[in-house]
């Protein structure tokens, strides 16, 4: 009986906090007064939590999870699904119009995609992905954010659900040898000069998600339960981080840190827009192969075949 009363008191005292996320905190990446080091104290309720993102994915520690079957991507090939690109003062965000959904991949139901956004460092010389892979930080990271289709786009309801969001993380690797590739990234970055200042936005046309994610085997991925990587850091995200990176030419990656600013034309460039890695709470992976067969295995196979 005392236990039940104890539980009731705990539940009653936690419930009011759920909707009191501090949106008035003017968080940032560039200044010590509001950067990620301050979030855990300014938005303690979530940002100081125990299933925070991003994390370092340790490939050898991740366990195989048979639930992580293939995804079904709907309208990722649509060239009209991406509608508007905007400078939010903290990221470059692309609005995904209606009709883009993901299901499968161990998700409990279909999720509707709403936006993609990007994280970067300071040109290709200073990497800025959010997730790191075996300690390696990549030049950039592209996120696709979706919410449970049954929540009908209601962010309050999605944030209060521990699996309300499905976030996809695609690491971006630099291609030093080419310029202007892939074509979809050339088109995407061609809009940056029109959104160099905060709150500027412009219509996008002719790019599909499939084209932006070109070259990635989307059957190979890691899964963990985490949070939004920006305040209010809600612990409501089923994370999928794909093993293979999208490969993008150096000149295109460099445009992010040298074109868009955090405010108007006299403000600093948007740079190093990532949160540091948080404590890992358990990562699983899909079937793969997640690692390339070693040369030794190849020799054994060859020997068997020859005999
Ligand atoms: C929200 O953050 C602002 C800015 O840091 C702070 O002044 C305010 O007291 C906070 N409000 C709550 C309810 O925590
Ligand atoms: C796979 O899904 C089942 C049923 O939802 C669940 O009980 C089990 O814990 C899941 N396995 C993993 C490794 O997540
Ligand atoms: C970014 O790189 C440029 C050019 O190398 C340098 O001048 C600048 O100080 C760097 N900025 C940050 C925030 O690291
Ligand atoms: C979201 O759902 C909550 C709870 O059902 C409701 O109070 C709120 O009005 C909804 N918000 C929108 C924008 O529909
Ligand atoms: C740019 O922003 C700064 C800081 O907010 C402000 O002081 C300045 O007046 C702005 N300049 C223009 C041209 O809007």
């Amino acid at each position: 009986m005392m236990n039940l009363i104890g539980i009731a008191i705990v539940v009653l005292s936690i419930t009011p906090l759920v909707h009191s996320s501090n949106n008035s905190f003017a968080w940032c990446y560039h200044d010590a007064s509001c950067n990620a080091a301050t979030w855990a104290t300014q938005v303690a309720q979530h940002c100081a939590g125990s299933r925070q993102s991003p994390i370092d994915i340790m490939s050898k520690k991740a366990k195989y999870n048979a639930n992580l079957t293939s995804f079904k991507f709907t309208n990722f090939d649509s060239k009209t699904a991406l509608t508007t690109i905007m400078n939010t003062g903290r990221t470059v965000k692309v609005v995904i119009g209606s009709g883009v959904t993901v299901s499968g991949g161990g998700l409990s139901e279909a999720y509707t995609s709403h936006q993609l956004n990007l994280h970067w460092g300071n040109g290709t010389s200073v990497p800025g992905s959010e997730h790191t892979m075996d300690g390696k930080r990549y030049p950039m990271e592209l996120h696709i954010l979706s919410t449970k289709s049954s929540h009908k786009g209601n962010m309050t309801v999605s944030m209060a659900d521990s699996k309300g969001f499905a976030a996809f993380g695609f690491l971006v690797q630099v291609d030093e040898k080419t310029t202007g590739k892939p074509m979809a990234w050339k088109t995407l970055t061609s809009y940056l000069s029109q959104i160099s200042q905060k709150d500027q936005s412009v219509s996008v046309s002719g790019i599909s998600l499939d084209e932006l994610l070109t070259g990635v085997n989307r059957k190979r991925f890691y899964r963990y339960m985490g949070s939004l990587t920006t305040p209010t850091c809600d612990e409501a995200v089923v994370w999928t981080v794909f093993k293979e990176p999208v490969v993008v030419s150096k000149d295109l990656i460099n445009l992010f840190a040298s074109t868009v600013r955090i405010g108007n034309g006299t403000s600093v460039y948007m740079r190093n827009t990532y949160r540091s890695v948080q404590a890992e709470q358990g990562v699983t992976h899909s079937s793969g192969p997640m690692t390339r067969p070693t040369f030794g295995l190849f020799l054994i196979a060859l020997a068997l075949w020859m005999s």
Side-chain angles (χ1 to χ4, degrees), residues 295-307:
F295 189 58
L297 280 175
F298 169 74
L299 285 182
I300 292 166
L302 187 67
L304 288 172
W305 179 74
M306 299 271 286
S307 62

Side-chain angles (χ1 to χ4, degrees), residues 197 263-267:
Q197 300 185 16
N264 63 30
T266 60
S267 61

Side-chain angles (χ1 to χ4, degrees), residues 60-78:
K60 291 208 170 63
K61 211 178 140 193
K63 292 192 174 66
Y64 170 61
N65 179 352
N67 293 348
L68 302 182
T69 52
S70 294
F71 285 104
K72 179 171 182 238
F73 301 95
T74 304
N75 281 333
F76 270 52
D77 60 351
S78 165

Side-chain angles (χ1 to χ4, degrees), residues 49-66:
S50 58
R51 53 169 268 200
Q52 289 291 294
S53 297
I55 59 166
D56 177 41
I57 292 169
M58 293 171 266
S59 61
K60 291 208 170 63
K61 211 178 140 193
K63 292 192 174 66
Y64 170 61
N65 179 352

Side-chain angles (χ1 to χ4, degrees), residues 122 125-126 271-272:
N122 189 5
S125 53
V126 183
R271 286 169 172 165
N272 303 319

Side-chain angles (χ1 to χ4, degrees), residues 182-259:
M183 194 60 206
W185 282 76
K186 191 176 182 186
T187 307
L188 183 81
T189 51
S190 73
Y191 295 109
L192 294 180
S193 59
Q194 295 174 67
I195 57 161
S196 63
Q197 300 185 16
K198 182 174 187 279
D199 296 330
Q200 287 182 323
S201 65
V202 62
S203 293
V204 167
S205 66
I207 321 173
S208 69
L209 287 165
D210 279 345
E211 288 169 321
L212 287 173
L213 308 177
T214 183
V216 178
N217 178 347
R218 284 182 243 155
K219 288 184 175 157
R220 296 184 182 189
F221 57 89
Y222 295 98
R223 167 65 44 80
Y224 76 97
M225 299 299 288
S227 74
L228 299 176
T229 64
T230 59
T232 45
C233 314
D234 301 70
E235 298 187 328
V237 185
V238 182
W239 268 100
T240 302
V241 180
F242 292 86
K243 180 179 168 58
E244 295 178 1
V246 184
V247 180
V248 177
S249 297
K250 184 178 180 171
D251 59 322
L252 301 184
I253 291 174
N254 281 335
L255 286 173
F256 288 90
S258 60
T259 312

Side-chain angles (χ1 to χ4, degrees), residues 5-307:
I5 292 169
I7 290 166
I9 289 169
V10 169
V11 169
L12 286 175
S13 55
I14 287 172
T15 310
L17 291 175
V18 171
H19 296 289
S20 70
S21 299
N22 194 344
N23 289 314
S24 59
F25 170 51
W27 61 273
C28 72
Y29 291 109
H30 72 286
D31 193 278
S33 67
C34 49
N35 71 13
T38 70
W39 301 352
T41 48
Q42 294 289 347
V43 198
Q45 186 206 340
H46 299 307
C47 299
S50 58
R51 53 169 268 200
Q52 289 291 294
S53 297
I55 59 166
D56 177 41
I57 292 169
M58 293 171 266
S59 61
K60 291 208 170 63
K61 211 178 140 193
K63 292 192 174 66
Y64 170 61
N65 179 352
N67 293 348
L68 302 182
T69 52
S70 294
F71 285 104
K72 179 171 182 238
F73 301 95
T74 304
N75 281 333
F76 270 52
D77 60 351
S78 165
K79 290 213 184 208
T80 55
L82 303 181
T83 60
T84 309
I85 186 168
M86 59 181 76
N87 174 342
T88 70
R90 289 150 175 165
T91 189
V92 165
K93 163 177 153 182
V94 182
V95 176
I96 302 174
S98 59
V100 178
T101 61
V102 293
S103 58
L107 297 175
S108 56
E109 60 170 273
Y111 284 68
T112 302
S113 305
H114 302 290
Q115 62 153 286
L116 73 80
N117 58 63
L118 297 143
H119 299 264
W120 60 88
N122 189 5
T124 50
S125 53
V126 183
S129 69
E130 294 222 284
H131 289 93
T132 57
M133 200 69 87
D134 293 319
K136 177 187 156 79
R137 191 177 301 286
Y138 282 72
M140 293 186 70
E141 186 166 333
L142 181 156
H143 288 163
I144 297 175
L145 213 54
S146 310
T147 57
K148 268 186 188 170
S149 298
S150 61
H151 291 333
K152 304 196 184 308
N154 186 316
M155 291 300 152
T156 313
V157 173
S158 302
M159 283 178 180
D161 177 348
S162 68
K163 295 181 179 175
F165 291 79
F168 285 173
F170 290 91
L171 300 165
V172 176
Q173 182 58 287
V174 58
D175 181 352
E176 303 269 358
K177 295 189 198 76
T178 62
T179 56
K181 286 190 173 142
M183 194 60 206
W185 282 76
K186 191 176 182 186
T187 307
L188 183 81
T189 51
S190 73
Y191 295 109
L192 294 180
S193 59
Q194 295 174 67
I195 57 161
S196 63
Q197 300 185 16
K198 182 174 187 279
D199 296 330
Q200 287 182 323
S201 65
V202 62
S203 293
V204 167
S205 66
I207 321 173
S208 69
L209 287 165
D210 279 345
E211 288 169 321
L212 287 173
L213 308 177
T214 183
V216 178
N217 178 347
R218 284 182 243 155
K219 288 184 175 157
R220 296 184 182 189
F221 57 89
Y222 295 98
R223 167 65 44 80
Y224 76 97
M225 299 299 288
S227 74
L228 299 176
T229 64
T230 59
T232 45
C233 314
D234 301 70
E235 298 187 328
V237 185
V238 182
W239 268 100
T240 302
V241 180
F242 292 86
K243 180 179 168 58
E244 295 178 1
V246 184
V247 180
V248 177
S249 297
K250 184 178 180 171
D251 59 322
L252 301 184
I253 291 174
N254 281 335
L255 286 173
F256 288 90
S258 60
T259 312
V260 288
R261 296 175 184 272
I262 67 161
N264 63 30
T266 60
S267 61
V268 297
Y269 286 113
M270 215 182 274
R271 286 169 172 165
N272 303 319
T273 56
Y274 64 91
R275 186 188 195 191
S276 58
V277 295
Q278 309 291 304
E280 191 243 292
Q281 304 295 329
V283 178
T284 60
H285 68 78
S286 64
S287 66
M290 295 303 282
T291 52
R292 294 182 201 288
T294 63
F295 189 58
L297 280 175
F298 169 74
L299 285 182
I300 292 166
L302 187 67
L304 288 172
W305 179 74
M306 299 271 286
S307 62

